[in-house]
Amino acid sequence: MPAFKLWDDEYLSNKYGHLQIQAEYGKKENRSNPAVHLTMKRFLQVYKRKNIYMVNDMDREMMDEFFVPKPLLCGGFANQFDMCVMWFSSGGTKSVLHNDDIDNINCLMDGTKELVMIDKKHQKLVEQTGWKVSKSYSVVDVEKVDLIRFPQFKNVPWFKATMERGDCLFIPKEWYHHVQSYGNRNLAINIWFSHLDHFNKTDCTEKGTLPDYEPMSKFKIGTVEEYFAAGWRSFIIDPLVGVDLVTRDVFMTKMLDAHGAGRENVLKEIFTSLDKDQDRVLTWDELNSFDIEKIGSILEAEVEMPPEEHAHEEL
């Protein structure tokens, strides 16, 4: 991919130095640190001698040179892209132990990363003490766990993953992870995408032989409003996971069980909007391709439920 071959500091400064980016001071993650704004050129001039790292949505101007990996090109994933974020430092950055409510792929352009990963099935152990619910992270120091304060961590199984330049790693929705970066130049790109509960095989069949990569510029990346609207998608999808045949009756039962009575009229309106062919049965293709803005507008008007809070930290 062009980004992997071309994106050294000189090239980025010459071609994209005018772009405004967002960065943070302090290489050990502190969620109270304020963001700073500067140009790409200025960041490249100071990042190797300052305690600073870039956390910035990739500008569309750069997306022709960053390619989406082949595993995301069919099955419905490409319709679910939420954000594409650049993480750039001189190494030595450390995240807190946290999880995210959507899937992501981390692609490393330069440097090395080490990740500690914990399966989401160990939620009770991880979140027993020290867990900040509002921000989805733990105060536990993964590098030196205090087993007096957090004795449950001695029973937590974990995996360690090491990434080298050119690697891409899938980090599943809700898996806990801690990330540490090494090397005097560490550049990674994250693609975040809403979790698919059903893989769309038809989409892959229709697309036929896939290229190894496609430029990110070919795909729609969610706006901030669409990003936060992912909470509405969870409102619809989560109660239906594991159901093969979603008839109107099944839909109403599952939704009322999950969200409480008194919403029958709005749920009927939502079902009608989701049922594109009006056959009174929802397929998973329909459920994974609905107009989230339209459904969100219905819910915002009728249902007192805020969109989910997303807090993504991937150094």
Side-chain angles (χ1 to χ4, degrees):
M1 95 172 50
F4 186 69
K5 297 178 180 178
L6 297 174
W7 283 6
D8 59 24
D9 288 1
E10 181 180 4
Y11 182 88
L12 290 173
S13 182
N14 290 338
K15 187 166 184 178
Y16 303 116
H18 62 284
L19 296 178
Q20 288 289 322
I21 63 96
Q22 180 173 292
E24 297 180 11
Y25 283 106
K27 291 187 176 181
K28 187 161 186 178
E29 183 182 355
N30 182 337
R31 298 197 172 188
S32 64
N33 283 348
V36 295
H37 297 86
L38 63 168
T39 64
M40 175 78 77
K41 184 175 183 177
R42 181 58 181 161
F43 173 82
L44 292 168
Q45 291 171 341
V46 303
Y47 82 97
K48 287 188 176 179
R49 54 187 174 84
K50 297 283 188 179
N51 190 24
I52 191 172
Y53 69 96
M54 180 195 299
V55 186
N56 192 70
D57 289 352
M58 184 185 291
D59 194 283
R60 290 209 70 88
E61 191 174 329
M62 304 180 72
M63 290 184 182
D64 284 340
E65 295 179 342
F66 177 74
F67 286 7
V68 176
K70 188 174 184 177
L72 298 182
L73 296 182
C74 77
F77 298 109
N79 298 323
Q80 307 293 337
F81 293 157
D82 288 302
M83 297 183 76
C84 183
V85 179
M86 298 181 65
W87 306 85
F88 197 168
S89 75
S90 59
T93 57
K94 303 175 184 180
S95 78
V96 292
L97 180 67
H98 65 283
N99 65 5
D100 300 304
D101 55 10
I102 52 179
D103 293 323
N104 84 75
I105 280 186
N106 183 315
C107 292
L108 190 58
M109 302 290 105
D110 211 350
T112 302
K113 287 187 184 292
E114 288 186 351
L115 295 90
V116 172
M117 302 182 68
I118 302 171
D119 194 318
K120 65 180 181 181
K121 69 183 179 182
H122 302 300
Q123 177 186 13
K124 288 184 178 180
L125 286 174
V126 174
E127 299 186 15
Q128 184 175 319
T129 54
W131 186 256
K132 301 296 184 181
V133 176
S134 63
K135 296 293 185 179
S136 298
Y137 77 96
S138 175
V139 300
V140 172
D141 185 344
V142 172
E143 297 175 281
K144 191 177 181 181
V145 178
D146 184 339
L147 291 177
I148 296 176
R149 290 182 63 197
F150 311 107
Q152 77 275 14
F153 268 81
K154 67 181 179 182
N155 299 315
V156 176
W158 53 277
F159 302 89
K160 183 177 180 180
T162 300
M163 297 178 66
E164 303 290 347
R165 184 173 185 266
D167 288 341
C168 289
L169 179 69
F170 173 57
I171 303 175
K173 172 185 176 182
E174 296 177 352
W175 273 52
Y176 305 94
H177 50 288
H178 166 271
V179 189
Q180 187 159 353
S181 300
Y182 300 93
N184 61 7
R185 185 178 191 270
N186 198 286
L187 173 59
I189 312 296
N190 270 98
I191 304 174
W192 268 290
F193 50 99
S194 297
H195 182 74
L196 288 181
D197 297 299
H198 174 76
F199 184 80
N200 188 346
K201 294 181 181 178
T202 304
D203 180 56
C204 294
T205 301
E206 291 176 349
K207 289 181 177 177
T209 302
L210 297 171
D212 288 335
Y213 302 96
E214 288 277 15
M216 177 60 79
S217 57
K218 289 187 62 174
F219 302 94
K220 179 181 179 182
I221 303 295
T223 63
V224 173
E225 291 77 14
E226 290 169 331
Y227 176 58
F228 282 100
W232 300 130
R233 183 179 184 278
S234 294
F235 182 94
I236 300 296
I237 297 297
D238 289 355
L240 302 175
V241 173
V243 180
D244 293 325
L245 188 65
V246 184
T247 63
R248 180 173 172 173
D249 288 344
V250 169
F251 178 84
M252 294 298 294
T253 299
K254 291 289 185 180
M255 297 300 288
L256 291 171
D257 285 347
H259 304 305
R263 293 169 172 167
E264 288 81 358
N265 290 337
V266 68
L267 293 174
K268 288 176 183 177
E269 183 180 354
I270 290 172
F271 183 91
T272 300
S273 179
L274 296 173
D275 187 16
K276 295 177 181 178
D277 57 10
Q278 299 300 299
D279 65 351
R280 297 176 67 84
V281 176
L282 300 179
T283 66
W284 277 97
D285 286 350
E286 288 173 321
L287 287 166
N288 281 319
S289 62
F290 67 79
D291 184 337
I292 197 166
E293 291 184 355
K294 183 177 180 180
I295 298 301
S297 66
I298 296 171
L299 286 166
E300 285 174 346
E302 302 291 339
V303 181
E304 294 181 1
M305 188 199 79
E308 290 182 29
E309 178 179 342
H310 295 259
H312 298 311
E313 309 296 339
E314 202 65 53
L315 302 175

